[in-house]
Amino acid sequence: MLKMNHLSKVYRTEVVETYALRDFNIDVKEGEFVAVTGPSGSGKTTFLTIAGLLETFSGGEYHLDGIEVSQLNDNARSKIRNEKIGFIFQAFNLIPDLNVYDNIEVPLRYRGMKGAERKQRIMDSLERVGLSSRAKHYPAELSGGQQQRVAIARALAGSPRLLLADEPTGNLDTQMARGVLELIEDIHRDGATIVMVTHDPELAARAQRNVHIIDGQVVDLSEEPRFHSHPEETTQSQR
Amino acid sequence: MQISPILSALRHHKAGTALIAMQIALTLAIVCNTLFIIQQRVAHLSRPSGIDEAHLLRIQNQWVGQHGDYAPLLAADLATLRHVPGVVDAYATNSVPLSGGGWSTGLGLKPSQNGPTAMTAIYFADDHTLPTLGVKLVAGRNFRADEISDMPALSKPTPPFVIITRALASKLYPHGDALGKSVYVAPDKPSTIIGVVRRLQAPWTGNFAASFSDNSTLVPFRLITNGTNFVLRVRTGQMGNVMRTAPKALYAANRMRVIPDDDGVMPFSAIRAKAYASDRGMAILMAVICVMLLAITAAGIVGLTSFWVGQRRKQIGVRRALGATRGDILSYFLTENLLIGMGGVLLGIALAIGLNLWMVTRFEMQHLSLWYVLAGAVALLLLGQGAVFAPALRASRVPPVEATRSV
């Protein structure tokens, strides 16, 4: 689903070159749930933004769902983001001027979907995240957990093949975080590939596979998929 | 189209939206009415005088130290002028079109009529007048030389014949049968209309003669006073030469005269420019105000949209992350501006018509053509789209990765 070979990302200024990713290799299979961990500044978010086609890379190859993306133009990248990828951000990234319904509708409108289908998908996804009654509410009227569930509903409505989550529970308390994680696991069970960047070892342990990034490189890439069951066990194996 | 979410988002920016819409509305109302006034002014100053202005020259002559009979002096001057190289013809008169000064009177169709049938300018003319001015006869005939009589100053004109303009003829005899009919220039003696000319504008260009600016009557008189206007018809390309040589010829014939240095010798192009200087100045001033108003409105749109783009950078990044193309973002801001513009334009149309109605009642202005309002509305919408384009383009260049950056 997502394969990067010898990928690099360099930020250049007049005096210095900084490698955010260097000789970066990863292969995420279709339907996998991968947690990406690593210390601050290690390149986790850079990896996620490149994986989500939010940013270009400097060298190497990146195949997304079999497509080499480096040659794609801006419109083609937008289309892939819209149709194949769902995003869940730490800061929720809902549009404050739009109500819940309109927020979820945004990517569907860019897809050119008909009104009736949009409505059906929005209502279905809202029901799935348990916020059907909040369709007309604005983000500011919702709690953090509810906002993140709206963001998940927005991603869900587009039926993405790949869900990219950047610290999805970073701004939530434990109880809300648990609810959000259960939703992500639910989406995974439905067949979506999940790549989740997190600081939280407990969260990472819920993934099938952990990828650890240090200084822009994958340092520990377990080839054997592990099916999650007991957080304690995965936490231990990570140590 | 994404109209409903844009409208929904605009509800959260009521103040900015209302300000821009109001600015567009006021601009439309003022610009429509101003352009209408400019158009009227331009039409006014472009009005044809009926004479061949390009070949005409006026010389103002004032006798000094002469007393008594000016008639032979006038005849001698005309003979002198008609022999100046480059001069085709010349005549003497009390006034000329567009000069700003002349005689007017009321014409009646009956003796001692109570109130005139039409007002008219009075031009003293002879058999050289029509060929000199290049005025076209459309009916009847010109004066003959033997029909021209001398008229001393302060005497009352009672001409036996007159030549009138077509506009005046229509006013006096609406059925088109003015030729040969009588008209009362003097209260008790009729004058026969022996000719009708296509057009000859009155001397006044302001409001005084607005109701009778195309009503002119030529009377077969030579005005015998110490001040005279000579009108010369000049060959093509000879205007400059004649302007220099004609006054010299007059001075050579008789030095006891004054031809004013500043405006004593004027081609009709200069007379026209002077006559309409205030109209032209007003039209230019109004046009400048229009341009400034439009520029201020455009700047307001650029400013507000730039502010909104800066304010919504993260939101634009999120939209891009969710699949919006650059075109989608550009279209979003253009549509948003179009919606605000349409709101402003609708209000502006009402204001423009209201302002015009107020001016119609207060200043006797004409009713504003709806075409002006519609053209103004389209122009304002296009101006808005033009003004918003640069900030919208900047918005479309916000990269999708902006979604991941903290504010």
Side-chain angles (χ1 to χ4, degrees):
Chain A
M1 181 71 201
L2 186 160
K3 189 173 184 182
M4 293 176 177
N5 290 330
H6 308 294
L7 189 133
S8 63
K9 175 68 182 176
V10 188
Y11 294 103
R12 290 188 173 89
T13 66
E14 283 179 8
V15 292
V16 68
E17 282 188 350
T18 309
Y19 277 83
L21 297 177
R22 186 201 296 267
D23 195 22
F24 190 91
N25 297 290
I26 190 170
D27 187 359
V28 179
K29 302 283 190 248
E30 175 99 40
E32 255 195 305
F33 183 178
V34 175
V36 179
T37 57
S40 291
S42 59
K44 301 189 300 294
T45 298
T46 303
F47 155 68
L48 203 73
T49 56
I50 290 171
L53 306 187
L54 301 179
E55 215 173 358
T56 55
F57 49 92
S58 312
E61 288 178 359
Y62 172 26
H63 293 268
L64 178 64
D65 200 20
I67 302 165
E68 164 55 55
V69 300
S70 62
Q71 301 304 317
L72 298 177
N73 65 22
D74 195 73
N75 281 358
R77 294 164 70 88
S78 296
K79 190 172 160 64
I80 289 178
R81 279 198 300 272
N82 182 261
E83 292 179 354
K84 292 183 188 287
I85 305 172
F87 290 97
I88 302 173
F89 301 99
Q90 180 177 4
F92 323 135
N93 281 0
L94 299 177
I95 295 169
D97 300 337
L98 300 180
N99 64 26
V100 165
Y101 185 98
D102 289 340
N103 259 291
I104 299 172
E105 197 179 30
V106 168
L108 306 183
R109 278 182 179 272
Y110 291 133
R111 199 180 289 192
M113 199 178 278
K114 292 269 187 292
E117 190 184 350
R118 288 203 305 263
K119 186 174 182 184
Q120 185 63 50
R121 283 181 178 238
I122 294 165
M123 296 319 292
D124 286 351
S125 59
L126 273 175
E127 193 168 346
R128 193 157 169 193
V129 300
L131 288 174
S132 298
S133 59
R134 305 287 179 142
K136 296 294 170 194
H137 284 66
Y138 284 87
E141 298 165 347
L142 303 176
S143 70
Q146 286 172 326
Q147 288 189 49
Q148 193 59 299
R149 278 151 65 195
V150 172
I152 292 171
R154 182 172 65 186
L156 265 177
S159 307
R161 305 262 313 276
L162 173 65
L163 185 72
L164 300 176
D166 186 8
E167 303 280 6
T169 60
N171 283 357
L172 304 177
D173 63 33
T174 313
Q175 194 176 348
M176 286 178 175
R178 191 173 300 130
V180 165
L181 191 64
E182 280 167 7
L183 271 172
I184 292 172
E185 285 173 337
D186 221 23
I187 296 166
H188 175 233
R189 271 194 291 275
D190 286 350
T193 308
I194 316 270
V195 177
M196 178 175 67
V197 164
T198 182
H199 269 108
D200 184 348
E202 190 178 342
L203 215 57
R206 304 277 286 262
Q208 290 174 326
R209 182 154 66 98
N210 278 196
V211 169
H212 200 66
I213 301 177
I214 292 179
D215 290 338
Q217 285 186 306
V218 175
V219 293
D220 179 18
L221 187 63
S222 169
E223 293 297 333
E224 293 299 318
R226 287 179 297 113
F227 294 98
H228 69 280
S229 53
H230 305 293
E232 301 81 12
E233 180 187 301
T234 47
T235 306
Q236 281 169 0
S237 67
Q238 202 186 17
R239 298 280 175 218
Chain B
M1 283 300 285
Q2 44 183 341
I3 289 173
S4 63
I6 292 177
L7 286 174
S8 174
L10 282 176
R11 277 198 286 273
H12 287 77
H13 302 276
K14 287 194 190 83
T17 304
L19 276 174
I20 288 294
M22 274 303 295
Q23 197 175 355
I24 289 171
L26 285 172
T27 304
L28 179 64
I30 294 169
V31 166
C32 279
N33 280 285
T34 308
L35 286 179
F36 186 59
I37 293 169
I38 291 173
Q39 182 271 331
Q40 286 183 314
R41 295 265 175 180
V42 169
H44 179 66
L45 61 85
S46 309
R47 199 168 40 167
S49 62
I51 61 177
D52 184 10
E53 294 176 29
H55 295 98
L56 294 179
L57 175 68
R58 183 193 67 178
I59 298 176
Q60 288 182 312
N61 181 71
Q62 189 79 31
W63 293 109
V64 289
Q66 304 277 353
H67 301 288
D69 193 6
Y70 294 108
L73 297 171
L74 187 64
D77 277 357
L78 281 171
T80 301
L81 288 171
R82 285 170 188 158
H83 283 92
V84 170
V87 173
V88 179
D89 208 343
Y91 76 101
T93 185
N94 61 327
S95 179
V96 293
L98 310 181
S99 62
W103 297 14
S104 68
T105 190
L107 298 181
L109 296 176
K110 295 174 187 168
S112 303
Q113 185 177 309
N114 194 11
T117 304
M119 290 298 293
T120 182
I122 295 287
Y123 288 119
F124 285 32
D126 61 16
D127 51 320
H128 291 265
T129 300
L130 297 188
T132 301
L133 291 176
V135 171
K136 304 281 185 257
L137 260 175
V138 292
R141 65 173 179 83
N142 191 3
F143 297 128
R144 291 194 303 265
D146 61 335
E147 290 170 340
I148 311 302
S149 52
D150 292 346
M151 199 193 86
L154 306 177
S155 60
K156 291 183 179 176
T158 52
F161 320 106
V162 291
I163 296 172
I164 62 175
T165 55
R166 187 157 56 185
L168 180 57
S170 299
K171 179 81 177 168
L172 295 171
Y173 293 98
H175 300 299
D177 52 352
L179 193 66
K181 295 278 176 58
S182 294
V183 65
Y184 285 82
V185 180
D188 49 354
K189 288 185 182 172
S191 306
T192 304
I193 300 168
I194 63 161
V196 177
V197 294
R198 185 188 294 164
R199 182 188 291 271
L200 180 61
Q201 195 178 340
W204 311 278
T205 56
N207 287 334
F208 163 67
S211 62
F212 65 97
S213 61
D214 288 327
N215 293 358
S216 294
T217 301
L218 299 169
V219 293
F221 290 131
R222 270 185 297 269
L223 183 63
I224 307 301
T225 65
N226 66 338
T228 303
N229 287 291
F230 294 113
V231 180
L232 281 63
R233 182 177 185 80
V234 177
R235 289 185 208 288
T236 304
Q238 294 294 308
M239 185 63 76
N241 287 337
V242 173
M243 284 177 70
R244 284 189 299 275
T245 56
K248 283 181 186 168
L250 289 174
Y251 279 120
N254 190 333
R255 292 209 60 80
M256 301 304 285
R257 70 175 82 233
V258 172
I259 299 172
D261 286 338
D262 51 351
D263 60 353
V265 182
M266 283 178 89
F268 258 84
S269 55
I271 293 174
R272 169 172 283 277
K274 189 176 172 188
Y276 289 115
S278 66
D279 286 287
R280 190 178 296 106
M282 186 59 78
I284 290 169
L285 179 68
M286 285 180 163
V288 168
I289 289 170
C290 273
V291 169
M292 285 173 66
L293 203 55
L294 289 169
I296 290 167
T297 302
I301 292 169
V302 170
L304 188 74
T305 313
S306 298
F307 173 69
W308 278 351
V309 168
Q311 203 183 35
R312 291 190 273 186
R313 235 183 122 73
K314 171 107 176 174
Q315 185 188 125
I316 296 164
V318 171
R319 286 178 182 275
R320 294 278 283 127
L322 296 176
T325 60
R326 284 178 183 168
D328 289 327
I329 299 296
L330 187 69
S331 151
Y332 180 95
F333 281 93
L334 290 177
T335 308
E336 183 181 72
N337 172 267
L338 193 65
L339 291 173
I340 298 172
M342 283 167 74
V345 155
L346 286 177
L347 185 62
I349 287 173
L351 279 176
I353 293 170
L355 182 63
N356 174 250
L357 288 176
W358 179 73
M359 289 198 288
V360 166
T361 53
R362 293 294 297 269
F363 306 113
E364 295 180 349
M365 210 179 113
Q366 288 180 27
H367 282 284
L368 179 64
S369 161
L370 273 183
W371 287 111
Y372 271 83
V373 183
L374 291 177
V378 171
L380 255 289
L381 289 177
L382 289 176
L383 177 85
Q385 292 288 283
V388 85
F389 194 77
L393 201 62
R394 220 163 35 245
S396 74
R397 289 178 182 147
V398 171
V401 74
E402 196 73 26
T404 63
R405 290 182 183 143
S406 50
V407 181

